[in-house]
Short mmCIF file of all heavy atoms in Angstrom, two decimals:
data_model
loop_
_atom_site.label_atom_id
_atom_site.label_comp_id
_atom_site.label_asym_id
_atom_site.label_seq_id
_atom_site.Cartn_x
_atom_site.Cartn_y
_atom_site.Cartn_z
N VAL N 179 42.95 5.03 47.11
CA VAL N 179 44.29 5.02 46.59
C VAL N 179 44.39 4.15 45.33
O VAL N 179 44.86 4.61 44.27
CB VAL N 179 45.30 4.53 47.66
CG1 VAL N 179 46.67 4.38 47.08
CG2 VAL N 179 45.31 5.50 48.83
N TYR N 180 43.92 2.91 45.43
CA TYR N 180 44.12 1.98 44.29
C TYR N 180 43.07 2.18 43.21
O TYR N 180 43.41 2.32 42.04
CB TYR N 180 44.12 0.55 44.80
CG TYR N 180 45.40 0.19 45.49
CD1 TYR N 180 45.50 0.23 46.88
CD2 TYR N 180 46.51 -0.19 44.77
CE1 TYR N 180 46.68 -0.08 47.53
CE2 TYR N 180 47.69 -0.51 45.42
CZ TYR N 180 47.77 -0.44 46.78
OH TYR N 180 48.95 -0.75 47.41
N VAL N 181 41.81 2.18 43.58
CA VAL N 181 40.77 2.31 42.55
C VAL N 181 40.70 3.73 42.04
O VAL N 181 40.60 3.97 40.84
CB VAL N 181 39.40 1.88 43.13
CG1 VAL N 181 38.29 2.08 42.11
CG2 VAL N 181 39.45 0.43 43.57
N GLY N 182 40.83 4.71 42.94
CA GLY N 182 40.67 6.10 42.52
C GLY N 182 41.88 6.70 41.82
O GLY N 182 41.73 7.57 40.98
N ALA N 183 43.07 6.22 42.12
CA ALA N 183 44.26 6.86 41.56
C ALA N 183 45.08 5.89 40.70
O ALA N 183 45.31 6.14 39.50
CB ALA N 183 45.13 7.41 42.68
N VAL N 184 45.51 4.78 41.29
CA VAL N 184 46.43 3.89 40.59
C VAL N 184 45.76 3.23 39.37
O VAL N 184 46.32 3.20 38.29
CB VAL N 184 46.97 2.84 41.56
CG1 VAL N 184 47.84 1.82 40.84
CG2 VAL N 184 47.74 3.49 42.68
N MET N 185 44.55 2.73 39.54
CA MET N 185 43.88 2.05 38.44
C MET N 185 43.46 3.02 37.34
O MET N 185 43.47 2.65 36.17
CB MET N 185 42.68 1.24 38.96
CG MET N 185 43.07 0.07 39.80
SD MET N 185 44.34 -0.99 39.04
CE MET N 185 43.55 -1.43 37.52
N VAL N 186 43.09 4.23 37.71
CA VAL N 186 42.76 5.22 36.67
C VAL N 186 43.99 5.55 35.85
O VAL N 186 43.93 5.63 34.61
CB VAL N 186 42.16 6.49 37.33
CG1 VAL N 186 42.02 7.61 36.31
CG2 VAL N 186 40.82 6.17 37.94
N LEU N 187 45.12 5.73 36.51
CA LEU N 187 46.36 5.96 35.81
C LEU N 187 46.76 4.77 34.94
O LEU N 187 47.17 4.91 33.80
CB LEU N 187 47.49 6.28 36.81
CG LEU N 187 48.86 6.55 36.21
CD1 LEU N 187 48.84 7.77 35.34
CD2 LEU N 187 49.89 6.69 37.32
N PHE N 188 46.59 3.56 35.46
CA PHE N 188 46.93 2.36 34.71
C PHE N 188 46.02 2.24 33.47
O PHE N 188 46.49 1.92 32.38
CB PHE N 188 46.78 1.13 35.61
CG PHE N 188 47.17 -0.15 34.93
CD1 PHE N 188 48.48 -0.43 34.66
CD2 PHE N 188 46.20 -1.08 34.57
CE1 PHE N 188 48.84 -1.60 34.03
CE2 PHE N 188 46.55 -2.24 33.94
CZ PHE N 188 47.88 -2.52 33.67
N LEU N 189 44.72 2.49 33.63
CA LEU N 189 43.83 2.44 32.49
C LEU N 189 44.20 3.50 31.44
O LEU N 189 44.15 3.25 30.24
CB LEU N 189 42.38 2.66 32.95
CG LEU N 189 41.64 1.43 33.45
CD1 LEU N 189 40.29 1.83 34.00
CD2 LEU N 189 41.45 0.43 32.33
N PHE N 190 44.58 4.69 31.90
CA PHE N 190 44.98 5.75 30.97
C PHE N 190 46.19 5.32 30.17
O PHE N 190 46.24 5.49 28.96
CB PHE N 190 45.25 7.02 31.77
CG PHE N 190 45.69 8.19 30.92
CD1 PHE N 190 44.77 8.87 30.14
CD2 PHE N 190 47.01 8.57 30.89
CE1 PHE N 190 45.16 9.91 29.36
CE2 PHE N 190 47.42 9.62 30.12
CZ PHE N 190 46.49 10.31 29.33
N VAL N 191 47.19 4.75 30.85
CA VAL N 191 48.40 4.32 30.15
C VAL N 191 48.11 3.18 29.20
O VAL N 191 48.62 3.16 28.05
CB VAL N 191 49.48 3.90 31.20
CG1 VAL N 191 50.66 3.24 30.51
CG2 VAL N 191 49.94 5.13 31.97
N VAL N 192 47.28 2.21 29.60
CA VAL N 192 46.97 1.08 28.75
C VAL N 192 46.23 1.53 27.48
O VAL N 192 46.52 1.06 26.38
CB VAL N 192 46.14 0.04 29.53
CG1 VAL N 192 45.47 -0.97 28.61
CG2 VAL N 192 47.03 -0.70 30.53
N MET N 193 45.31 2.46 27.64
CA MET N 193 44.54 2.89 26.49
C MET N 193 45.31 3.83 25.59
O MET N 193 45.02 3.94 24.40
CB MET N 193 43.23 3.55 26.93
CG MET N 193 42.23 2.57 27.51
SD MET N 193 40.61 3.24 27.84
CE MET N 193 40.96 4.32 29.20
N MET N 194 46.32 4.53 26.14
CA MET N 194 47.12 5.44 25.31
C MET N 194 48.23 4.73 24.55
O MET N 194 48.63 5.18 23.47
CB MET N 194 47.72 6.53 26.17
CG MET N 194 46.72 7.53 26.72
SD MET N 194 45.91 8.47 25.43
CE MET N 194 47.25 9.47 24.84
N LEU N 195 48.73 3.63 25.08
CA LEU N 195 49.83 2.91 24.45
C LEU N 195 49.31 1.86 23.49
O LEU N 195 48.23 1.28 23.69
CB LEU N 195 50.72 2.25 25.48
CG LEU N 195 51.45 3.19 26.45
CD1 LEU N 195 52.23 2.40 27.45
CD2 LEU N 195 52.37 4.14 25.68
N ASP N 196 50.08 1.60 22.47
CA ASP N 196 49.75 0.52 21.53
C ASP N 196 50.44 -0.75 22.03
O ASP N 196 51.62 -0.97 21.78
CB ASP N 196 50.22 0.89 20.13
CG ASP N 196 49.76 -0.11 19.09
OD1 ASP N 196 48.84 -0.90 19.38
OD2 ASP N 196 50.32 -0.13 17.98
N ILE N 197 49.69 -1.60 22.71
CA ILE N 197 50.27 -2.78 23.35
C ILE N 197 50.15 -3.98 22.44
O ILE N 197 49.07 -4.28 21.92
CB ILE N 197 49.58 -3.06 24.70
CG1 ILE N 197 49.79 -1.88 25.65
CG2 ILE N 197 50.09 -4.34 25.33
CD1 ILE N 197 49.10 -2.02 26.96
N ASN N 198 51.25 -4.68 22.26
CA ASN N 198 51.26 -5.90 21.45
C ASN N 198 50.89 -7.07 22.35
O ASN N 198 51.70 -7.50 23.17
CB ASN N 198 52.65 -6.08 20.83
CG ASN N 198 52.69 -7.19 19.81
OD1 ASN N 198 51.66 -7.84 19.56
ND2 ASN N 198 53.84 -7.45 19.23
N LEU N 199 49.68 -7.58 22.18
CA LEU N 199 49.19 -8.63 23.07
C LEU N 199 49.93 -9.94 22.86
O LEU N 199 50.15 -10.71 23.80
CB LEU N 199 47.69 -8.86 22.85
CG LEU N 199 46.80 -7.64 23.15
CD1 LEU N 199 45.35 -7.96 22.86
CD2 LEU N 199 46.95 -7.22 24.59
N GLU N 200 50.33 -10.22 21.62
CA GLU N 200 51.05 -11.47 21.37
C GLU N 200 52.40 -11.48 22.06
O GLU N 200 52.82 -12.52 22.60
CB GLU N 200 51.23 -11.68 19.86
CG GLU N 200 49.96 -12.04 19.10
CD GLU N 200 49.06 -10.84 18.87
OE1 GLU N 200 49.55 -9.70 19.05
OE2 GLU N 200 47.90 -11.04 18.51
N ARG N 201 53.05 -10.34 22.09
CA ARG N 201 54.36 -10.29 22.75
C ARG N 201 54.21 -10.40 24.25
O ARG N 201 55.09 -10.94 24.95
CB ARG N 201 55.03 -8.94 22.39
CG ARG N 201 56.44 -8.86 22.89
CD ARG N 201 57.11 -7.60 22.40
NE ARG N 201 58.48 -7.50 22.88
CZ ARG N 201 59.28 -6.47 22.64
NH1 ARG N 201 58.84 -5.45 21.91
NH2 ARG N 201 60.49 -6.45 23.12
N LEU N 202 53.11 -9.88 24.81
CA LEU N 202 52.89 -9.99 26.25
C LEU N 202 52.70 -11.44 26.69
O LEU N 202 53.06 -11.81 27.81
CB LEU N 202 51.68 -9.17 26.66
CG LEU N 202 51.86 -7.65 26.72
CD1 LEU N 202 50.55 -6.99 27.07
CD2 LEU N 202 52.91 -7.28 27.75
N ARG N 203 52.11 -12.25 25.82
CA ARG N 203 51.78 -13.62 26.20
C ARG N 203 52.80 -14.65 25.72
O ARG N 203 52.54 -15.84 25.70
CB ARG N 203 50.40 -13.99 25.64
CG ARG N 203 49.29 -13.15 26.24
CD ARG N 203 47.94 -13.62 25.82
NE ARG N 203 46.91 -12.90 26.54
CZ ARG N 203 46.43 -13.24 27.71
NH1 ARG N 203 46.89 -14.30 28.34
NH2 ARG N 203 45.50 -12.53 28.30
N GLU N 204 53.99 -14.17 25.31
CA GLU N 204 55.00 -15.10 24.82
C GLU N 204 55.47 -16.07 25.89
O GLU N 204 55.59 -17.24 25.66
CB GLU N 204 56.19 -14.31 24.24
CG GLU N 204 55.92 -13.75 22.86
CD GLU N 204 57.11 -12.96 22.37
OE1 GLU N 204 58.08 -12.82 23.11
OE2 GLU N 204 57.06 -12.50 21.21
N GLY N 205 55.73 -15.55 27.10
CA GLY N 205 56.28 -16.41 28.16
C GLY N 205 55.26 -17.00 29.09
O GLY N 205 55.60 -17.38 30.22
N PHE N 206 53.96 -17.02 28.68
CA PHE N 206 52.91 -17.49 29.58
C PHE N 206 53.09 -18.95 29.93
O PHE N 206 53.12 -19.34 31.10
CB PHE N 206 51.54 -17.23 28.95
CG PHE N 206 50.40 -17.69 29.80
CD1 PHE N 206 50.00 -16.94 30.90
CD2 PHE N 206 49.73 -18.86 29.52
CE1 PHE N 206 48.95 -17.35 31.69
CE2 PHE N 206 48.69 -19.28 30.30
CZ PHE N 206 48.29 -18.53 31.39
N TRP N 207 53.21 -19.80 28.92
CA TRP N 207 53.29 -21.25 29.18
C TRP N 207 54.64 -21.62 29.80
O TRP N 207 54.72 -22.61 30.54
CB TRP N 207 53.08 -22.02 27.87
CG TRP N 207 51.69 -21.83 27.33
CD1 TRP N 207 51.32 -21.13 26.24
CD2 TRP N 207 50.47 -22.34 27.89
NE1 TRP N 207 49.97 -21.16 26.06
CE2 TRP N 207 49.43 -21.90 27.07
CE3 TRP N 207 50.17 -23.14 29.02
CZ2 TRP N 207 48.10 -22.23 27.33
CZ3 TRP N 207 48.85 -23.44 29.29
CH2 TRP N 207 47.84 -23.00 28.47
N LYS N 208 55.68 -20.84 29.52
CA LYS N 208 56.97 -21.15 30.09
C LYS N 208 56.99 -20.88 31.59
O LYS N 208 57.62 -21.60 32.37
CB LYS N 208 58.05 -20.29 29.39
CG LYS N 208 59.46 -20.58 29.87
CD LYS N 208 60.46 -19.77 29.09
CE LYS N 208 60.32 -18.31 29.43
NZ LYS N 208 61.38 -17.47 28.81
N ASN N 209 56.28 -19.84 32.03
CA ASN N 209 56.25 -19.48 33.45
C ASN N 209 55.08 -20.09 34.22
O ASN N 209 54.95 -19.87 35.41
CB ASN N 209 56.18 -17.96 33.60
CG ASN N 209 57.40 -17.28 33.01
OD1 ASN N 209 58.50 -17.81 33.07
ND2 ASN N 209 57.21 -16.12 32.41
N LEU N 210 54.24 -20.86 33.51
CA LEU N 210 53.06 -21.44 34.17
C LEU N 210 53.39 -22.40 35.30
O LEU N 210 52.79 -22.35 36.36
CB LEU N 210 52.16 -22.10 33.13
CG LEU N 210 50.86 -22.67 33.66
CD1 LEU N 210 50.00 -21.57 34.25
CD2 LEU N 210 50.10 -23.39 32.56
N PRO N 211 54.38 -23.33 35.17
CA PRO N 211 54.67 -24.24 36.29
C PRO N 211 55.12 -23.50 37.57
O PRO N 211 54.65 -23.82 38.67
CB PRO N 211 55.79 -25.14 35.74
CG PRO N 211 55.64 -25.06 34.27
CD PRO N 211 55.17 -23.70 33.98
N LEU N 212 56.00 -22.51 37.42
CA LEU N 212 56.43 -21.76 38.60
C LEU N 212 55.27 -20.99 39.23
O LEU N 212 55.12 -20.94 40.46
CB LEU N 212 57.56 -20.79 38.20
CG LEU N 212 58.09 -19.91 39.32
CD1 LEU N 212 58.68 -20.75 40.45
CD2 LEU N 212 59.10 -18.92 38.76
N ALA N 213 54.43 -20.39 38.39
CA ALA N 213 53.26 -19.67 38.89
C ALA N 213 52.30 -20.61 39.63
O ALA N 213 51.72 -20.27 40.66
CB ALA N 213 52.55 -18.95 37.77
N ALA N 214 52.13 -21.84 39.10
CA ALA N 214 51.25 -22.79 39.76
C ALA N 214 51.82 -23.22 41.12
O ALA N 214 51.06 -23.37 42.09
CB ALA N 214 51.07 -24.02 38.86
N VAL N 215 53.13 -23.39 41.21
CA VAL N 215 53.75 -23.76 42.49
C VAL N 215 53.56 -22.64 43.52
O VAL N 215 53.18 -22.86 44.66
CB VAL N 215 55.23 -24.10 42.30
CG1 VAL N 215 55.95 -24.24 43.63
CG2 VAL N 215 55.38 -25.38 41.48
N VAL N 216 53.86 -21.39 43.11
CA VAL N 216 53.71 -20.25 44.02
C VAL N 216 52.24 -20.10 44.45
O VAL N 216 51.92 -19.87 45.61
CB VAL N 216 54.25 -18.97 43.37
CG1 VAL N 216 53.93 -17.76 44.23
CG2 VAL N 216 55.74 -19.08 43.14
N GLY N 217 51.32 -20.22 43.50
CA GLY N 217 49.90 -20.12 43.82
C GLY N 217 49.46 -21.24 44.77
O GLY N 217 48.66 -21.03 45.69
#
């Protein structure tokens, strides 16, 4: 289910779209304390 279907679809979408990596990582440091607490 996950490796055979979901991840193949996710890889297809990621490679077909033009993803702005800088925009994805804008809120990384802001959300890091909450993520550390949950982890």
Side-chain angles (χ1 to χ4, degrees):
V179 174
Y180 285 96
V181 178
V184 175
M185 290 310 302
V186 171
L187 179 64
F188 183 72
L189 275 174
F190 180 75
V191 171
V192 164
M193 289 189 291
M194 290 297 291
L195 297 178
D196 187 17
I197 298 177
N198 189 0
L199 298 178
E200 288 77 14
R201 187 175 180 183
L202 285 177
R203 296 187 173 273
E204 282 179 357
F206 179 77
W207 295 109
K208 183 177 69 174
N209 298 325
L210 183 61
L212 179 61
V215 170
V216 173

